[in-house]
Amino acid sequence: MNAEELRKDFPILSERINGHRLVYLDNAATSQKPRQVIDAIRRYYEHDNSNVHRGVHTLGSRATEAYEAARERVARFIGARSPQEVVFTRGTTESLNMIAHGYARAKLGEGDEIVLPPSEHHSNLIPWQQAARATGATLRYLPLQPDGTIRLEDVEAAVTDRTKIVAIAHVSNVLGTVNPVREIAEIAHRHGAIIVVDGAQSVPHMPTDVVAMDCDFLAFSGHKMLGPTGIGVLYGKAELLAEMEPTYFGGEMIDVVDLYESTWKEAPWKFEGGTPIIAGAIGLAAAMDYLEKVGMAEIERHDAALAAKAVERLAEIDGVTIFGPPPGQSRAGLVTFNLGRVHPHDLATVLDARGVAIRAGHHCAQPLMRLFNVPATARASFYLYNTEEDVDALVDAVLEAKEFFGHAIG
Amino acid sequence: MQLDDLYRQVIMDHYQHPRNRGTLDEGAISVDLRNPSCGDEIHLQLLVDDGIVKDVRFLGSGCSISMASASMMTEAIKGKSIEEAVDLAHAFRAMMRGEDVDLEQMGELEALQGVNKFPARIKCATLAWQALERAASVPTGGHVEEETLGE
């Protein structure tokens, strides 16, 4: 793949930021959108816009076809057995909350355990805290190695017949570690537990095969993978979605409504109460077309190579601390770091003045920040349109920040 | 955008050498405030006697702007009446919104005026001042705990 060529598809990358070329390294927060996605959404609104699943008129049929075709697109992208295993949601957070609400609460009871690492994003942590509080179940945390990895022997020790759910990110949004979800799924299943995988940082950056992974649920967001905001996916094995209760009730999701009780459609439609996110689904399908054309395995290699180079060069700067796997060790396409005592907000402001956009803060992972004993960190995350020139710009800007704060902070 | 507009020397000096950092004994009003979107936090204590801020201390963690602003605030309000301190807090927040304020009243705080050109950093500068406004509404010896700064 040729990142330099791909950049031309992304209009925003020609923005000048504070007089500099935009170096967009906040892809783990959200990705930029190619013209193909923007056009697909505009085309839908200009030619096909209508509500789905109800109109008898021509536009109603076109919109319904496009929306259901998007579902099939997603199913192919993640290797689902059927499009009916794909539920459209607002994003990863909503998907995970729907599982915790509609599935977990009915299954959990006193003495049951939910196993998860302390490095999870708040959206794969708080829903489980809430489910545990509501049912009397308890949370059991997996230990992290100093490099942020999780050892399978620790998973073996933590997962028992009391475990009902294992919740884990495929790729950590802070550490950049790739967790062995397939092996963890095998351990969970041996004990009769299900595994919920947060794919927010993995599905955009590597090939996904839910059957090979054998996950029971997978949640991810469209906006981190070139799609629009406001659309996400909840994948669930057909038999689990059949058991799972809807979270929202109302139009669109019903079968028969009576004065005192009602019945629902089958999955996935029973989970999509109200007018669904039609344009979002169409935009996500266009994003998946784009990504697949480039090639997910190519993208995975590209992002990881840039992150590896960034880690290597940042680690050479005196005063830089790298979190997660050290240089030379495998990691996904992001790097989290700090520069001495320079607060990440100050660092990010100096970088922004040079056109370099990074994330600074707790990354929605406060328990992990406490484990590191830092209030916040800086994070650079890469995607298919980033280049080695972007890594150079990042490193140069960090050196400038060091110079700028050096005299004051030491 | 000029970084020197933001990181004025006096700000860096307060960041590096914070004034009135520490805690006060019992009888002081305490406020804990945090900005959940960035993790900055402050523990502010005021000793108010006869309506006058006799002493003030703070602890906290955050970026240079939030900690320098806290340090500069403690110097600015010590010895003032609680009403004057609240007036100054209102004026400071107006300055952060880019409104015209009496720069003479601001004194050294004028160095923070440049923050208003960095929208993402305004909350950093106002954290300590919001803590002060909360402290002013608490009776002596009272404590506002772990309150979270809203939008």
Side-chain angles (χ1 to χ4, degrees):
Chain A
M1 63 178 267
N2 183 342
E4 216 45 82
E5 274 302 308
L6 296 178
R7 291 179 70 83
K8 294 176 188 157
D9 292 331
F10 293 79
I12 206 170
L13 295 179
S14 359
E15 283 290 302
R16 303 289 292 178
I17 303 295
N18 299 312
H20 294 263
R21 168 181 175 271
L22 167 62
V23 177
Y24 186 77
L25 300 179
D26 196 15
N27 293 290
T30 198
S31 67
Q32 299 302 347
K33 324 302 173 196
R35 204 180 294 283
Q36 289 83 339
V37 168
I38 299 166
D39 285 349
I41 296 166
R42 196 180 47 226
R43 207 162 43 237
Y44 165 72
Y45 278 125
E46 287 181 353
H47 298 288
D48 302 328
N49 178 56
S50 190
N51 213 326
V52 294
H53 300 143
R54 39 189 122 166
V56 179
H57 53 76
T58 303
L59 290 185
S61 307
R62 276 199 222 156
T64 304
E65 265 169 43
Y67 181 64
E68 292 303 326
R71 197 189 305 281
E72 285 166 28
R73 185 72 196 84
V74 174
R76 283 203 308 283
F77 192 84
I78 62 173
R81 289 180 184 86
S82 150
Q84 283 189 243
E85 293 181 318
V86 172
V87 181
F88 283 123
T89 67
R90 279 197 304 133
T92 308
T93 299
E94 186 172 77
S95 300
L96 292 167
N97 274 279
M98 283 166 67
I99 306 164
H101 242 273
Y103 181 84
R105 290 199 185 196
K107 299 283 171 182
L108 291 170
E110 203 84 40
D112 290 338
E113 292 183 349
I114 303 165
V115 171
L116 70 171
S119 47
E120 289 306 299
H121 189 283
H122 294 163
S123 62
N124 198 27
L125 195 154
I126 307 169
W128 306 118
Q129 285 179 353
Q130 294 296 106
R133 280 176 59 167
T135 58
T138 47
L139 300 183
R140 185 158 171 182
Y141 284 100
L142 293 165
L144 288 183
Q145 295 305 299
D147 63 4
T149 54
I150 293 164
R151 295 188 309 183
L152 284 175
E153 60 211 84
D154 290 325
V155 181
E156 289 276 8
V159 176
T160 67
D161 290 347
R162 283 194 301 276
T163 308
K164 292 289 176 288
I165 296 165
V166 177
I168 189 164
H170 192 172
V171 169
S172 158
N173 71 312
V174 179
L175 298 159
T177 45
V178 184
N179 289 318
V181 284
R182 187 183 177 160
E183 291 78 3
I184 295 172
E186 202 271 312
I187 296 168
H189 292 152
R190 219 190 305 134
H191 292 276
I194 62 150
I195 180 167
V196 176
V197 175
D198 172 356
Q201 300 296 342
S202 61
V203 177
H205 297 277
M206 58 177 71
T208 301
D209 183 339
V210 289
V211 173
M213 200 196 294
D214 203 16
C215 58
D216 297 288
F217 291 105
L218 173 73
F220 60 96
S221 299
H223 70 94
K224 292 187 202 289
M225 52 189 303
L226 313 185
T229 52
I231 185 79
V233 170
L234 163 61
Y235 157 83
K237 285 182 180 167
E239 61 271 25
L240 296 179
L241 289 182
E243 286 175 54
M244 185 166 140
E245 279 291 310
T247 308
Y248 308 109
F249 303 89
E252 198 83 41
M253 52 80 67
I254 47 88
D255 181 17
V256 177
V257 178
D258 226 325
L259 281 180
Y260 296 99
E261 52 191 288
S262 303
T263 54
W264 331 132
K265 283 181 182 162
E266 57 181 341
W269 301 284
K270 69 175 176 181
F271 299 109
E272 297 176 359
T275 296
I277 311 146
I278 308 164
I282 288 164
L284 176 58
M288 287 177 166
D289 285 344
Y290 188 95
L291 288 169
E292 224 154 61
K293 210 167 139 200
V294 177
M296 292 309 294
E298 281 283 302
I299 293 171
E300 180 180 17
R301 268 193 298 276
H302 172 83
D303 300 349
L306 290 180
K309 195 170 173 73
V311 166
E312 194 184 306
R313 294 200 45 206
L314 289 171
E316 283 169 5
I317 299 172
D318 199 25
V320 165
T321 309
I322 304 280
F323 300 96
Q329 201 172 306
S330 104
R331 64 159 63 229
L334 63 90
V335 49
T336 297
F337 64 101
N338 269 345
L339 172 63
R341 288 169 46 225
V342 178
H343 193 281
H345 288 165
D346 290 320
L347 181 63
T349 295
V350 175
L351 266 55
D352 184 53
R354 303 288 170 258
V356 180
I358 61 158
R359 173 78 193 269
H362 52 58
H363 315 290
C364 299
Q366 289 184 8
L368 186 58
M369 295 297 115
R370 258 170 243 130
L371 277 179
F372 290 154
N373 200 23
V374 292
T377 61
R379 178 187 69 192
S381 49
F382 301 89
Y383 213 2
L384 68 174
Y385 38 68
N386 291 123
T387 61
E388 295 209 359
E389 196 184 334
D390 292 341
V391 177
D392 293 341
L394 168 70
V395 172
D396 289 348
V398 170
L399 286 169
E400 263 192 80
K402 190 181 170 185
E403 175 96 21
F404 189 84
F405 289 106
H407 64 284
I409 297 171
Chain B
M1 170 163 106
Q2 285 299 315
L3 283 177
D4 293 334
D5 291 343
L6 180 65
Y7 295 112
R8 299 264 299 271
Q9 207 171 352
V10 57
I11 296 176
M12 299 312 282
D13 181 59
H14 273 269
Y15 180 46
Q16 209 182 355
H17 309 287
R19 328 291 201 262
N20 299 307
R21 201 174 166 89
T23 52
L24 292 171
D25 293 334
E26 277 170 43
I29 299 166
S30 314
V31 173
D32 283 294
L33 195 63
R34 68 159 58 120
N35 178 348
S37 66
C38 67
D40 285 2
E41 49 193 22
I42 185 167
H43 173 72
L44 179 70
Q45 287 187 299
L46 295 184
L47 191 64
V48 179
D49 186 23
D50 209 15
I52 304 293
V53 180
K54 292 284 185 205
D55 207 351
V56 50
R57 293 276 193 283
F58 81 102
L59 291 174
S61 71
C63 63
S64 59
I65 302 299
S66 71
M67 292 298 106
S69 182
S71 171
M72 291 164 81
M73 180 188 82
T74 60
E75 285 204 316
I77 64 169
K78 205 188 274 192
K80 284 202 164 65
S81 75
I82 197 81
E83 287 80 16
E84 287 170 329
V86 170
D87 276 352
L88 189 61
H90 290 161
F92 183 82
R93 289 176 62 184
M95 182 171 82
M96 286 301 104
R97 290 191 298 268
E99 293 167 21
D100 282 335
V101 292
D102 177 5
L103 288 181
E104 209 157 300
Q105 181 194 12
M106 284 294 145
E108 200 179 48
L109 294 166
E110 182 256 326
L112 286 160
Q113 193 175 26
V115 176
N116 73 33
K117 295 195 203 74
F118 295 77
R121 306 300 298 278
I122 291 171
K123 273 185 168 183
C124 309
T126 55
L127 182 69
W129 297 88
Q130 299 211 37
L132 170 62
E133 286 177 48
R134 280 164 171 76
S137 61
V138 172
T140 293
H143 184 204
V144 182
E145 195 156 349
E146 292 295 321
E147 200 171 325
T148 283
L149 183 65
E151 286 302 316

